[in-house]
């Protein structure tokens, strides 16, 4: 499932080299990191002999899009729990339209009602004689972190293989961090490899930072325990999560993100979206400047979100040639 890693045109005065890993080009359901993670969840569901899947996310969710598509292709019943922020724009996105195409049942709830909604949907499916699988474990969203982390613990080997061919190692790997699964998986791969690079997550969600770090920590610990690997007591020092670039929370953005999307499309032919990848890319650029990084080899993991890129074009480009 390897994807392209290539160097980008990157305007800086500090002799840094910027590369990108194009997981948005993974060949299933419009690609993205959630292709890898969805397969890990699906395999775990089958291993546990469950026959219905409960997925969770917002109307922007790439993971829900991919999982709904995967379940439909494999003939597995799927229910999406879709949460909404207060005063959130509830207009459909391209992702929700694609989820609707699969016939996935969508259950809406507020941010404070997720646990109760998960429990209710689980009970309803059991009453139908089903054995439901909730991707995040228990109703509070904990207990299955290691499964999601496994996807990028394995993908880390692709980064190592690229480095081996180049004869050098990246100094930094940046990625968007929402649920934390991708970042925890990369940290697992980094710890197993024993290399020197720093894995830096740019927090794009509205999740409280302390809890976000805790979820990443649980993901690393769960993966190591599940696979019988020894984990050093000080592993949490490898969790670097920056929360100063989220611009008010999940799905919120401003002109800086708009300009980042425009620039990277025309300069490097890369589609970024305002919810995940553009915010993380802009955050990475700000981090590089704020920390005066120089002579560094940097990798940005493009985690996908192509349907959201087109949402951005439709919203920002309506009647505006300077979208």
């Amino acid at each position: 499932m390897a994807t392209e890693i290539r160097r980008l045109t990157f305007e800086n005065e500090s002799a840094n080299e910027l590369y990108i890993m194009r997981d948005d080009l993974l060949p299933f359901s419009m690609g993205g990191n959630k292709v890898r993670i969805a397969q890990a969840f699906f395999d775990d569901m089958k291993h546990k002999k469950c026959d219905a899947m409960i997925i969770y996310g917002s109307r922007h969710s790439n993971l829900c899009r991919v999982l709904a598509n995967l379940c439909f292709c494999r003939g597995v019943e799927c229910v999406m729990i879709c949460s909404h922020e207060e005063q959130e724009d509830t207009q459909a996105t391209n992702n929700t339209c694609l989820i609707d195409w699969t016939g996935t049942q969508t259950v809406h709830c507020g941010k404070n009602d997720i646990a109760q909604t998960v429990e209710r949907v689980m009970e309803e499916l059991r009453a139908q004689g089903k054995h439901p699988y909730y991707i995040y474990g228990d109703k509070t969203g904990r207990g299955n972190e290691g499964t999601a982390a496994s996807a990028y613990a394995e993908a880390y080997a692709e980064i190592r293989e690229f480095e081996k061919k180049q004869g050098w190692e990246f100094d930094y790997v940046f990625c968007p961090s929402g649920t934390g699964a991708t970042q925890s998986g990369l940290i697992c791969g980094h710890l197993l490899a024993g290399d020197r690079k720093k894995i830096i997550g740019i927090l794009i969600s509205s999740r409280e930072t302390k809890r976000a770090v805790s979820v990443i920590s649980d993901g690393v610990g769960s993966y190591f325990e599940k696979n019988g690997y020894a984990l050093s007591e000080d592993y949490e020092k490898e969790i670097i999560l920056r929360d100063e670039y989220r611009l008010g929370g999940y799905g919120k953005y401003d002109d800086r993100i708009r300009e980042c999307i425009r620039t990277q499309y025309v300069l490097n032919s890369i589609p970024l979206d305002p919810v995940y990848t553009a915010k993380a890319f802009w955050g990475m650029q700000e981090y590089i400047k704020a920390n005066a990084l120089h002579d560094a080899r940097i990798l940005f993991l493009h985690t996908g979100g192509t349907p959201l890129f087109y949402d951005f074009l439709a919203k920002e480009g309506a009647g505006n040639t300077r979208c």
Side-chain angles (χ1 to χ4, degrees):
M1 200 184 281
T3 55
E4 176 190 44
I5 296 178
R6 68 177 176 89
R7 189 170 176 179
L8 296 180
T9 299
F10 182 53
E11 298 177 0
N12 71 100
E13 300 174 355
S14 302
N16 295 306
E17 295 179 8
L18 179 62
Y19 294 76
I20 191 167
M21 183 172 181
R22 294 292 305 272
D23 267 14
D24 60 311
L25 300 179
L26 286 170
F28 181 78
S29 192
M30 292 195 173
N33 64 329
K34 299 309 192 295
V35 173
R36 299 181 191 265
I37 293 171
Q39 190 62 57
F41 280 136
F42 197 89
D43 292 345
D44 188 54
M45 180 192 72
K46 287 299 184 183
H47 176 73
K48 292 175 179 175
K49 302 187 184 307
C50 297
D51 56 9
M53 180 175 282
I54 300 172
I55 62 180
Y56 164 75
S58 77
R59 64 195 181 90
H60 301 292
S61 177
N62 293 314
L63 178 59
C64 288
R65 164 179 43 91
V66 178
L67 278 170
N69 198 172
L70 184 60
C71 285
F72 181 86
C73 291
R74 304 290 176 83
V76 171
E77 183 173 353
C78 182
V79 179
M80 176 187 177
I81 295 172
C82 183
S83 69
H84 301 275
E85 305 268 1
E86 290 185 12
Q87 299 179 331
E88 176 186 336
D89 178 3
T90 57
Q91 182 178 354
T93 67
N94 283 321
N95 276 341
T96 57
C97 290
L98 292 170
I99 290 166
D100 285 346
W101 279 8
T102 66
T104 296
Q105 177 189 352
T106 301
V107 178
H108 298 274
C109 70
K111 272 289 185 182
N112 296 324
D113 301 319
I114 299 167
Q116 302 95 306
T117 307
V118 170
E119 189 171 42
R120 175 169 60 83
V121 172
M122 292 280 279
E123 291 173 355
E124 289 173 355
L125 287 170
R126 289 187 183 117
Q128 297 170 22
K130 296 286 186 178
H131 301 281
Y133 174 92
Y134 178 45
I135 59 173
Y136 291 124
D138 64 22
K139 67 179 183 179
T140 67
R142 307 302 283 265
N144 202 25
E145 294 86 353
T147 297
S150 67
Y152 274 87
E154 295 173 8
Y156 197 80
E158 297 171 24
I159 298 173
R160 296 281 292 171
E161 183 61 28
F162 177 84
E163 292 173 324
K164 183 179 178 181
K165 290 178 180 178
Q166 303 305 310
W168 46 254
E169 182 180 331
F170 288 112
D171 300 294
Y172 299 88
V173 177
F174 286 84
C175 68
S177 195
T179 63
T182 299
Q183 186 177 358
S184 59
L186 291 172
I187 292 170
C188 288
H190 159 64
L191 290 171
L192 290 171
D195 58 25
R196 61 180 177 80
K197 65 176 65 66
K198 292 183 178 180
I199 312 298
I200 301 178
I202 304 297
L203 187 61
I204 54 82
S205 76
S206 302
R207 179 176 284 172
E208 193 273 325
T209 306
K210 185 176 180 180
R211 183 171 189 273
V213 170
S214 174
V215 170
I216 294 169
S217 177
D218 288 348
V220 175
S222 176
Y223 174 80
F224 271 71
E225 181 181 2
K226 188 175 183 178
N227 290 279
Y229 300 140
L231 183 60
S232 62
E233 293 183 358
D234 63 345
Y235 76 92
E236 289 187 330
K237 68 180 174 49
E238 300 295 336
I239 302 174
I240 306 172
L241 182 64
R242 306 304 300 225
D243 64 0
E244 64 265 49
Y245 307 115
R246 53 179 153 184
L247 301 179
Y250 185 74
K252 297 179 180 179
Y253 61 95
D254 60 18
D255 284 343
R256 290 170 289 187
I257 303 304
R258 293 183 180 94
E259 188 58 36
C260 179
I261 293 172
R262 296 184 195 109
T263 299
Q264 293 311 312
Y265 180 77
V266 299
L267 189 64
N268 286 302
S269 307
I270 298 167
L272 299 175
D273 74 90
V275 181
Y276 302 102
T277 53
K279 189 174 287 187
F281 197 97
W282 172 78
M284 172 188 68
Q285 292 176 306
E286 294 299 302
Y287 180 94
I288 290 169
K289 289 187 288 187
N291 291 274
L293 301 189
H294 59 87
D295 300 298
R297 290 191 173 101
I298 301 163
L299 178 65
F300 178 78
L301 175 60
H302 191 319
T303 54
T306 300
L308 302 179
F309 170 72
Y310 290 107
D311 282 336
F312 172 80
L313 288 183
K315 179 180 179 180
E316 300 291 333
N320 182 5
T321 58
R322 174 68 174 161
C323 62

